[in-house]
Amino acid sequence: GESVGLHLPTLSVQEGDNSIINCAYSNSASDYFIWYKQESGKGPQFIIDIRSNMDKRQGQRVTVLLNKTVKHLSLQIAATQPGDSAVYFCAERDPSSGNTGKLIFGQGTTLQVKP
Amino acid sequence: EAGVTQFPSHSVIEKGQTVTLRCDPISGHDNLYWYRRVMGKEIKFLLHFVKESKQDESGMPNNRFLAERTGGTYSTLKVQPAELEDSGVYFCASSQDGQAATNEKLFFGSGTQLSVL
């Protein structure tokens, strides 16, 4: 079946450094991608999204890059802070479900920020 | 405005027992979703309600799982009988629009951590 996967289960970075979290997806029909942040004891929280007609989208301290040629998605966090420590999930909207909230998630990357 | 609330936050039961999880979506949200994360793996879709109707239940693992949303407000997810492999975190999410251009308006609850011993 189709899946969205992350390359690394854990990423450890120094406070102040930039973080890059990667994700590979397999469904070439996918046209909408999202990054979620899940802090301990909380549910996934929307960070940023990108449509397949874009290569890059920037938010506050975060940037998402999409490479459709190799089906690769990445999340860049600038000047990583202790509050960024969490599990990060990439997700794609299931293309067979229309524009609903039915998502296909990757396995998640745990970001650890060292002070 | 209250967010999506789930109850209980944790549940520990023995294999063969029954557990019922509850989700209260944000008021006015017609769309309600159940997801779960098992064994630290990816979060997987279980089903989608539009009001009280099941729009998509393709992710339900087997007939031990029963989801209901009587009256189109809160939803329950019952596991009967529970098996060891059902352990994980069960998330509920809600949105007002079923056909949403973006996912910014899809809100997740904090989840129920289910442990089957």
Side-chain angles (χ1 to χ4, degrees), chain A residues 56-75:
Chain A
K56 178 180 179 179
R57 190 161 188 232
Q58 288 185 294
Q60 187 176 15
R61 282 200 308 118
V62 295
T63 300
V64 55
L65 298 177
L66 176 63
N67 185 330
K68 295 180 288 294
T69 302
V70 295
K71 297 180 199 170
H72 184 268
L73 194 69
S74 68
L75 177 70

Side-chain angles (χ1 to χ4, degrees), chain A residues 103-106, chain B residues 34-38 41-47 59 89 91:
Chain A
L103 304 173
I104 302 169
F105 283 87
Chain B
W34 283 99
Y35 285 85
R36 73 172 180 176
R37 188 183 188 204
V38 174
K41 295 185 178 178
E42 65 271 26
I43 300 172
K44 285 197 171 182
F45 168 85
L46 295 178
L47 87 160
V89 183
F91 292 106

Side-chain angles (χ1 to χ4, degrees), chain A residues 38-43, chain B residues 9-10 91 109-111:
Chain A
Q38 186 194 354
E39 297 175 275
S40 181
K42 298 183 180 179
Chain B
S9 58
H10 293 81
F91 292 106
S110 297

Side-chain angles (χ1 to χ4, degrees), chain A residues 3-4 18 32 34 37 42 49 51 54 72 75 81 83 105 112 114:
Chain A
S3 66
V4 179
N18 296 334
Y32 180 63
I34 315 104
K37 173 186 181 184
K42 298 183 180 179
D49 58 1
R51 297 189 180 281
M54 302 171 68
H72 184 268
L75 177 70
Q81 303 169 359
F105 283 87
Q112 299 173 337
K114 296 177 289 186

Side-chain angles (χ1 to χ4, degrees), chain B residues 58-98:
Chain B
S58 61
M60 294 290 266
N62 51 62
N63 58 10
R64 296 185 293 103
F65 289 75
L66 176 63
E68 295 180 320
R69 194 183 181 196
T70 306
T73 54
Y74 71 90
S75 174
T76 57
L77 179 64
K78 183 165 71 174
V79 185
Q80 178 183 31
E83 298 290 343
L84 299 179
E85 63 265 25
D86 300 332
S87 297
V89 183
Y90 289 76
F91 292 106
C92 176
S94 74
S95 68
Q96 186 171 36
D97 299 319

